[in-house]
Amino acid sequence: VPAAPDACTPQIRKGTAWGVATAAYQIEGAWNVSGRTPSVWDVYAHIPGKIKDGDTGDVACDHYHRYKEDFKLMKEMGVKHYRFSISWNRVLPGGGRGSAVNPAGVDFYNRLLDEMQANGITPAATMFHWDLPQSLHERYLGPLGDSEFVEDFANYADVLFKSFPRIKQWMTFNEPLITCDASYGVGKFAPGYKGGIPGIYKCAHNVLLSHGRVKQLSRTKYAHLDHKIGIALNVEWAEPMSNTTWDREAAQRSVDIQFGVYADPLFLGRYPELLKKKFGPSVMKDFTPEEADMVRGSADFLGINHYTSRFVRANEQPLGFVVSVFGRDSQPIGPVAQSSWLRVVPDGLYKITQYASKRYGNPEIWITENGVSAPNEAEMPVDHAVRDAFRTKYYSDYLDALCRSKRDGARITKYLAWSFMDNFEWLQGYSERFGVVHVDFKSGSLKRAVKDSGRFLSKHFFSVGAADAPADGAQKKPSG
Ligand code: GBH
């Protein structure tokens, strides 16, 4: 196992809770078991031609049946912090308000929580990691843009708060940019809805209102539970192609469009000026003063999913920019992973956390996802795949950048590696692996095997000692 990254001294590692992340549809399987209804991803994955090799999440890692083994392995690796997501349609198969809670679904997550508790693991749950109940999609057509969505999401959150008082740390949405853009804008992800630009921003608006509503619910009806409520936003760092004002402004626009659209309203109470200028008031609806009050300050921490960076330069269009992996010298910004969109650029993590700390007044930051798919790993036999030097180096270099950012003042209180184990990688099916634990999909045994990257994280981060786990994250016994 390589040494700890230079900047990650014991002192710097302290005060950050290190752990791993997953999402329901990507690991659970048991898609039609015990009252669970289909989500948009179940339906989409069953349409021939949508997912590479015809893969689906029907079985995935079969975590639904193997969770005991998985938490035992986490414990062996020293993992004390785990981010997972809840399947909306498992807990509330009818999706919307007035529909019945599914006792078997609640029971499943309670069994997970029991097992986490028994193994000393603190849960942090995502309410919505892209798996919208299909019934809601059919009811609204483009539901995230429909104001009814806000009511249904608040109702779902209410069910979760009531059902799982043991969960103190919540993320409302995972990567709403992807939901609003890939799922409901260009329609490349499930459910394949093409709402165009107006659809994207209606969706973003409703995501923000829903998040605000959930925070409001938490601090009123559920004040006694003392939640932490955050959100997980994805952002690629934008490196100006040159040091000219044009390119620097273009890079800022790229960050605004991915990240500012959500983070600015949450921390500053308004959309970035750029977006208003670019799309006009009919697309970029302003918040009413009441809505702005509800949204501003509604995130107790800023969750960032960060994987990669891009060069950005200005183009001839007003407010335009062009994104590229190649710089002015035609050199790529970093080595490519197995995933074609993912270039290894460790310093991007330093830059985005410094940027967010400064722009938003030094908020508590969680890195809610960070990880990589290693080239050719999917084709390798198990004993070869677990020797993942590429991923180990990725983590070592990105964590070095993270530790430097902490040293320079960023308040990064949690870091979650994506992912605990190889899983259903959306459109790519099982052909791209992000786990620090290998899962044998090839033979179908689904056997777990810790990779070298998992050992590296385990040695230097996961098991750095109970003192490093913040006391406020500790799980308490259910009160009944
Ligand atoms: C995360 O998204 C997700 O939260 C997680 O579920 C996923 O497993 C993980 O990344 C690894 O991919 O199809 O070429 O147009 C990260 C942001 C957004 C990056 C969608 C890939 C699609 C690229 N992702 N994007 S492409």
Side-chain angles (χ1 to χ4, degrees):
V1 176
D6 288 344
C8 298
T9 61
Q11 190 54 33
I12 289 285
R13 275 177 284 182
K14 254 183 125 87
T16 299
W18 310 96
V20 291
T22 63
Y25 188 65
Q26 296 181 270
I27 65 163
E28 285 181 4
W31 75 290
N32 56 2
V33 164
S34 302
R36 183 186 181 280
T37 55
S39 79
V40 293
W41 273 97
D42 291 294
V43 173
Y44 203 70
H46 286 135
I47 301 173
K50 294 292 187 195
I51 312 291
K52 187 152 187 216
D53 303 329
D55 289 339
T56 71
D58 291 2
V59 179
C61 307
D62 198 27
H63 178 68
Y64 186 87
H65 296 108
R66 298 175 192 233
Y67 63 93
K68 286 197 177 171
E69 181 196 326
D70 289 333
F71 291 120
K72 190 166 159 263
L73 183 55
M74 277 188 213
K75 185 181 186 173
E76 279 166 26
M77 293 170 74
V79 171
K80 295 178 196 74
H81 301 275
Y82 177 47
R83 171 181 180 227
F84 65 108
S85 85
I86 292 176
S87 157
W88 186 335
N89 36 293
R90 204 182 283 291
V91 168
L92 206 58
R97 284 156 292 166
S99 67
V101 175
N102 176 20
V106 171
D107 181 61
F108 168 63
Y109 291 106
N110 270 324
R111 283 184 280 124
L112 289 193
L113 292 167
D114 289 345
E115 213 59 30
M116 286 183 228
Q117 196 164 339
N119 288 289
I121 297 165
T122 301
T126 312
M127 295 178 175
F128 180 70
H129 197 122
W130 304 352
D131 46 356
L132 186 83
Q134 174 73 11
S135 59
L136 286 190
H137 172 63
E138 284 170 12
R139 175 138 20 118
Y140 306 145
L141 285 181
L144 272 83
D146 193 299
S147 55
E148 293 280 295
F149 175 79
V150 179
E151 302 304 319
D152 281 328
F153 192 79
N155 171 69
Y156 168 51
D158 196 339
V159 167
L160 295 181
F161 289 157
K162 199 179 305 158
S163 306
F164 307 115
R166 277 186 281 181
I167 304 178
K168 305 297 183 192
Q169 308 180 344
W170 292 95
M171 284 140 286
T172 50
F173 292 86
N174 179 68
E175 302 190 351
L177 176 75
I178 302 304
T179 307
C180 291
D181 186 326
S183 295
Y184 288 100
V186 301
K188 189 169 148 185
F189 277 21
Y193 187 83
K194 296 180 175 58
I197 299 265
I200 291 175
Y201 291 104
K202 264 196 210 163
C203 172
H205 202 71
N206 273 344
V207 162
L208 289 161
L209 294 177
S210 305
H211 177 92
R213 277 287 296 277
V214 171
K215 174 65 189 175
Q216 210 171 47
L217 184 68
S218 162
R219 69 175 158 216
T220 52
K221 188 169 170 191
Y222 295 98
H224 59 288
L225 292 175
D226 200 19
H227 294 134
K228 260 192 183 185
I229 311 277
I231 189 165
L233 305 177
N234 60 304
V235 58
E236 298 178 344
W237 177 250
E239 189 63 32
M241 184 82 90
S242 76
N243 203 22
T244 60
T245 315
W246 322 119
D247 285 351
R248 279 189 282 120
E249 286 178 1
Q252 176 65 46
R253 292 199 282 274
S254 154
V255 173
D256 281 345
I257 275 197
Q258 301 174 64
F259 188 60
V261 59
Y262 297 100
D264 279 20
L266 291 169
F267 289 91
L268 308 174
R270 52 177 156 70
Y271 286 116
E273 271 315 306
L274 155 84
L275 292 177
K276 293 198 221 162
K277 265 195 234 156
K278 193 173 164 87
F279 299 120
S282 65
V283 170
M284 292 311 299
K285 238 174 45 176
D286 266 325
F287 293 102
T288 65
E290 257 174 28
E291 289 172 341
D293 278 350
M294 180 177 79
V295 172
R296 188 193 313 112
S298 64
D300 300 320
F301 59 88
L302 173 57
I304 299 179
N305 291 0
H306 180 77
Y307 291 86
T308 195
S309 299
R310 292 284 182 270
F311 288 116
V312 175
R313 67 173 170 81
N315 74 354
E316 297 68 34
Q317 306 297 317
L319 302 175
F321 61 87
V322 179
V323 173
S324 172
V325 296
F326 298 105
R328 280 199 302 179
D329 54 4
S330 306
Q331 293 303 305
I333 194 163
V336 70
Q338 164 94 46
S339 312
S340 57
W341 55 271
L342 209 172
R343 297 269 168 178
V344 182
V345 191
D347 220 36
L349 183 55
Y350 176 86
K351 289 177 175 168
I352 189 63
T353 48
Q354 287 292 309
Y355 169 88
S357 297
K358 297 203 170 94
R359 186 174 178 97
Y360 302 119
N362 207 13
E364 186 176 330
I365 293 177
W366 289 16
I367 299 303
T368 33
E369 291 180 22
N370 173 238
V372 74
S373 52
N376 307 318
E377 188 180 321
E379 287 79 55
M380 293 174 188
V382 185
D383 53 344
H384 196 169
V386 296
R387 303 274 94 86
D388 59 340
F390 185 90
R391 182 176 293 100
T392 305
K393 181 163 167 45
Y394 177 99
Y395 277 118
S396 181
D397 292 348
Y398 271 71
L399 284 161
D400 190 63
L402 179 139
C403 290
R404 283 189 282 116
S405 189
K406 280 192 74 177
R407 187 195 62 201
D408 293 348
R411 287 207 294 144
I412 305 167
T413 54
K414 196 177 286 226
Y415 171 91
L416 301 154
W418 183 273
S419 175
F420 170 59
M421 59 185 157
D422 296 333
N423 57 48
F424 177 79
E425 179 49 29
W426 308 113
L427 297 184
Q428 304 307 326
Y430 300 99
S431 71
E432 289 180 11
R433 295 169 177 264
F434 279 81
V436 299
V437 169
H438 182 273
V439 177
D440 191 348
F441 297 116
K442 280 231 188 84
S443 76
S445 73
L446 303 181
K447 209 168 153 316
R448 280 51 162 161
V450 182
K451 300 181 191 177
D452 286 352
S453 57
R455 291 180 208 288
F456 171 80
L457 292 173
S458 167
K459 172 152 190 226
H460 300 304
F461 295 93
F462 301 151
S463 20
V464 284
D468 293 42
D472 63 352
Q475 209 189 139
K476 296 184 193 82
K477 284 250 161 64
S479 48

